[in-house]
Structures are given as C-alpha cells and as structure tokens.
C-alpha cells in the first residue's frame, strides 16, 4: 500500500514541480495506530515489543520511498496515549501521532498532558532535544478525517472495505500569497470578493493537476485541498503580518479588528468550493502556529488566550506554543480542555500542540534548530 501511495505522491510532485511549484514534503497518514500497531490489548509489555518491531519496519519502508512524515493517527484510549504516543514520537523523526480529546473528557486531557510532559523529557535522539519531540504530537479535538496537516492528520478504513484505494489531499504553505491578496483587498469589506477570487485563481491550477492524477487510475481518490492560510518562514511569509495590512486591524496582530478579519477570511476560505470550483478538505481556516510565523513569534504582548479566542472563528487551535519546562501537566490539561470545549461546542476541528522547553522559564527565548521552526519567547498559561 505504501508503494501505491508513493507512486501517487511522486506523480503529483513531478507534475507540481513541472509547473513551477515547490513541494516541501510528501506525507502519509494511516488509520488510528490502535487498529494495526497493537496486537494484544491486555499485554502492554508484549505490545511494546511488537510495536517497536512494526515501527522499525514501517520506518525503513518510508525511508526507502523518501516519505518525510507519516501520521499514525490518534489514540482513543488514555492508557495508549500515555504509553504508545511517546514511543511513536521517540522511535523516528518521521512519525507523528495525536490523542483524541473530546469536550469535557478530563481523563483524555490528563493523558494527553502527561504525554506532552513525557515527550518533552525525551533525550535519546538529537531530534528530541529541547522538547522538540512535541512538534510531532498534539491533542486533537473534533478533527475530521483527511486533514493534510500534521500531527493531527488521520485516515480511516475505506467504507467498502477496499484497502487498495489511495486517497490524497494537498496542504499549502501560502503566507506570501496571503500577504499579496490581503494587501490588495485592503479592507475586510473586500475579502469576500478580491481575496476570495484571488484564492480561487491561485488554487485552480492545483485543482486541475489533482483531478488529472485522480482520473488516471480508478484506485486513486482526490479528497481536496486544505485552503487554510499557513505561514512560511520565508521573508514575507507571515500570515499575522498579512492580516495586519487590513485597514480595520488596529495596531499589532491580536488588537481590535483581528477577530473580525479572521472570521471573514475563514468564511471566504470555506466558500471556495462554491460552484464546484475548488474541492476542499481539512481545516480550511486560519493557521496561527506561533513558532512557524515570524511576526507572531516577535509579538511581546500576545497571549495564549488571544490565540484561543481567535480560534473560535477560524482554527486551527493553539499551535506550536513554547511553555516553561516545568509547566505542570495539570495546567496543560486545562488548556487542552479549553480547546476541546471550543471544538465540541462549535463542531470545529481544533488541536493543541505545545512545547514545554526543559530548562526555560517564562520570557526566556527558545533556541530551536529546526528548518520548520523559528524562535520565540516562552509563554505561560496565565
């Protein structure tokens, strides 16, 4: 099955690159790991040894086919969250996973928080240093299948039992495009017209390529594009800075007008499938990962509560936020419950991905060495 996935991904990569697009990574998502990684639910010791063997085999296959990341889906059992999610994250820098946390599920939130604390203390490999392992784990709430962004991405078994079907979707890194279109729109008033049409124009060539690939084989199913605005670390790639160009956003991102802008942008992004122009899947919202957006990372007065508030009208939740190394699991659990409560109340796909950074306190600056992250001050949950 991975070979079939690789063939589709390579075909897509070749077609995208032939038309001038940069493909950052190719990734695979599986159905929840509890369905295939664990053999004996009653024997954790036996399961751990078997899981390590299967993870090693999977990692070798992914490396052979040059698959950069693989999301193994969510845990639905708090005991599995505590035991197997850290094991998955530790085993390979390719592996991602999540914990399913529903609104008011205190035990699931506690387990996810314990997992985050465990991962932050892992030191067995360089890719785990400084709490960086939590880049590949999140608490996921109300997250639907086929979101092409990690680590909350998950797949499901084919309804007709045909496990040979290869389903594919596209996620974007489009901060520069966001800046261009929002600068052109100038005002919230024009987001539903100028900005929306600009997004349709930008995504239409990708839509055409994806449909062409799907049409080449009955076993390929095109799921859609996640239209979310997602920052890059390139110059001019900040989504927060793009939103600051709107006339109604007063001062820095997070100030008056930010919530209104986020709501309007999200409405436009989720309407791109109107008239069957663009096939949509995933979050289709506004992504505000603190450590992946240079402008967000430099804002000294920004609070986690503001990011959570903005998530009420867009998404994706609280993402890549550095916390003090000694942040209690109980505090992290409460934040996860806030995210889950918001997701459950409004039936939104949201996630919570935070990084307790060993040895750092509130206000200290992180020193991550990752091509996917910038650095920022450590925030607290007060």
């Amino acid at each position: 099955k991975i070979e079939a996935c690789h063939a589709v991904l390579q075909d897509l990569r070749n077609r995208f690159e032939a038309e001038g697009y940069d493909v950052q990574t190719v990734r695979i998502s599986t159905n929840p790991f509890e369905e295939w990684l664990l053999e004996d639910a009653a024997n954790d010791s036996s399961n751990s040894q078997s899981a390590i063997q299967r993870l090693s085999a999977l990692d070798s296959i992914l490396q052979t086919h040059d698959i950069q990341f693989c999301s193994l889906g969510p845990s639905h059992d708090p005991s599995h969250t505590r035991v197997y999610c850290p094991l998955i994250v530790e085993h390979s820098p390719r592996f991602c996973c999540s914990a399913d946390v529903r609104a008011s599920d205190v035990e699931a939130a506690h387990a996810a928080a314990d997992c985050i604390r465990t991962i932050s203390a892992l030191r067995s490999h360089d890719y785990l240093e400084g709490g960086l392992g939590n880049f590949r784990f999140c608490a996921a709430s109300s997250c639907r299948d086929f979101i092409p962004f990690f680590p909350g991405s998950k797949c499901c078994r084919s309804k007709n039992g045909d496990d040979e079907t290869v389903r594919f979707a596209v996620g974007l890194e489009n901060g520069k495009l966001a800046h261009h279109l929002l600068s052109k729109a100038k005002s919230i008033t024009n987001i539903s017209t100028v900005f929306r049409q600009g997004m349709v124009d930008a995504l239409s060539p990708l839509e055409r390529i994806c449909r062409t690939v799907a049409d080449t084989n009955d076993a390929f199913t095109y799921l859609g594009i996640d239209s979310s605005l997602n920052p890059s670390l390139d110059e001019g790639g900040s989504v927060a800075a793009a939103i600051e160009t709107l006339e109604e956003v007063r001062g820095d991102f997070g100030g008056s007008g930010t919530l209104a802008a986020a709501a309007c942008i999200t409405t436009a992004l989720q309407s791109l499938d109107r008239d069957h122009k663009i096939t949509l899947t995933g979050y289709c919202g506004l992504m505000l990962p603190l450590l992946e957006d240079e402008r967000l990372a430099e804002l000294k007065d920004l609070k986690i509560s503001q990011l959570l508030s903005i998530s009420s009208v867009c998404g994706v939740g609280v993402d890549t936020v550095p916390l003090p190394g000694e942040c209690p699991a109980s505090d992290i659990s409460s934040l996860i419950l806030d995210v889950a409560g918001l997701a459950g109340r409004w039936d939104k796909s949201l996630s919570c991905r935070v990084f307790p950074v060993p040895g750092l306190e509130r206000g200290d600056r992180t020193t991550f060495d990752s091509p996917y992250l910038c650095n920022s001050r450590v925030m607290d949950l007060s």
Side-chain angles (χ1 to χ4, degrees):
K1 183 64 178 290
I2 292 178
E3 288 187 9
C5 291
H6 168 72
V8 176
L9 293 172
Q10 191 60 45
D11 189 10
L12 284 166
R13 177 193 281 274
N14 291 341
R15 291 173 187 265
F16 286 146
E17 291 179 343
E19 296 205 22
Y21 295 100
D22 292 327
V23 177
Q24 185 185 65
T25 59
V26 291
R27 311 177 177 197
I28 290 176
S29 297
T30 73
N31 51 306
F33 66 83
E34 294 161 324
E35 298 177 5
W36 55 270
L37 186 64
L38 311 184
E39 290 185 332
D40 184 359
N43 190 332
D44 280 343
S45 176
S46 174
N47 264 336
S48 293
Q49 292 303 315
S50 173
I52 289 172
Q53 293 174 359
R54 292 187 177 195
L55 290 172
S56 295
L58 175 59
D59 191 40
S60 177
I61 296 171
L62 294 172
Q63 184 175 12
T64 297
H65 293 290
D66 195 26
I67 306 297
Q68 285 82 37
F69 291 104
C70 179
S71 176
L72 277 61
S75 163
H76 296 93
D77 182 323
S79 66
H80 293 166
T81 299
R82 289 187 171 95
V83 174
Y84 296 106
C85 288
L87 181 69
I88 289 168
V89 169
E90 182 177 23
H91 193 87
S92 169
R94 294 178 182 81
F95 292 153
C96 304
C97 62
S98 60
D100 182 60
V101 181
R102 299 176 183 272
S104 303
D105 191 340
V106 175
E107 178 56 25
H110 284 334
D114 289 343
C115 178
I116 289 169
R117 292 285 310 157
T118 299
I119 291 173
S120 73
L122 295 175
R123 298 287 187 278
S124 56
H125 303 283
D126 290 345
Y127 54 78
L128 301 166
E129 288 293 333
L132 199 54
N134 277 305
F135 179 66
R136 295 178 286 110
F137 174 81
C138 72
S141 300
S142 299
C143 285
R144 297 170 176 80
D145 293 331
F146 312 128
I147 294 172
F149 287 103
F150 285 31
S153 181
K154 61 177 179 174
C155 188
C156 66
R157 291 182 180 273
S158 176
K159 292 182 179 179
N160 61 10
D162 179 12
D163 288 334
E164 297 306 312
T165 300
V166 175
R167 292 165 285 195
F168 65 92
V170 177
L172 308 172
E173 195 172 83
N174 53 9
K176 288 185 177 181
L177 175 64
H179 197 283
H180 169 71
L181 293 179
L182 291 176
S183 297
K184 186 177 179 180
K186 297 182 180 179
S187 168
I188 288 175
T189 302
N190 300 321
I191 288 177
S192 63
T193 53
V194 175
F195 171 79
R196 181 183 181 279
Q197 186 58 52
M199 288 297 296
V200 169
D201 293 343
L203 300 190
S204 291
L206 300 177
E207 177 80 6
R208 173 179 51 79
I209 293 171
C210 290
R211 290 189 179 187
T212 298
V213 170
D215 289 342
T216 63
N217 192 316
D218 291 339
F220 300 163
T221 299
Y222 168 48
L223 298 169
I225 299 171
D226 191 325
S227 61
S228 294
L229 296 190
N230 180 34
S232 74
L233 296 179
D234 297 332
E235 184 177 353
S238 166
V239 169
I243 292 173
E244 288 177 337
T245 65
L246 294 169
E247 295 173 353
E248 294 81 6
V249 177
R250 304 299 182 183
D252 294 339
F253 179 91
S256 298
T258 302
L259 192 67
C264 195
I265 290 168
T266 301
T267 298
L269 293 172
Q270 294 179 351
S271 74
L272 301 184
D273 58 351
R274 191 187 307 157
D275 302 324
H276 308 287
K277 292 184 181 297
I278 306 296
T279 308
L280 297 179
T281 191
Y283 293 113
C284 297
L286 186 62
M287 307 187 83
L288 299 171
L290 185 73
L291 291 175
E292 298 178 47
D293 188 306
E294 294 275 11
R295 177 57 177 154
L296 279 181
E298 71 182 21
L299 293 174
K300 295 181 179 180
D301 296 325
L302 188 67
K303 297 181 179 180
I304 292 177
S305 59
Q306 289 174 284
L307 295 174
L308 187 58
S309 175
I310 295 168
S311 292
S312 68
V313 297
C314 60
V316 169
V318 176
D319 198 18
T320 66
V321 174
L323 300 177
E326 298 303 316
C327 184
S330 57
D331 288 357
I332 299 173
S333 175
S334 292
L335 175 63
I336 292 171
L337 284 170
D338 281 343
V339 174
L342 192 60
R345 177 64 182 82
W346 300 113
D347 192 25
K348 293 169 56 66
S349 295
L350 295 177
S351 61
C352 182
R353 182 168 50 154
V354 293
F355 301 178
V357 186
L360 296 190
E361 300 178 354
R362 174 187 177 183
D364 290 343
R365 188 166 179 81
T366 63
T367 56
F368 292 123
D369 182 16
S370 167
Y372 304 112
L373 300 173
C374 58
N375 285 291
S376 173
R377 64 184 175 86
V378 173
M379 305 178 76
D380 65 16
L381 296 177
S382 62

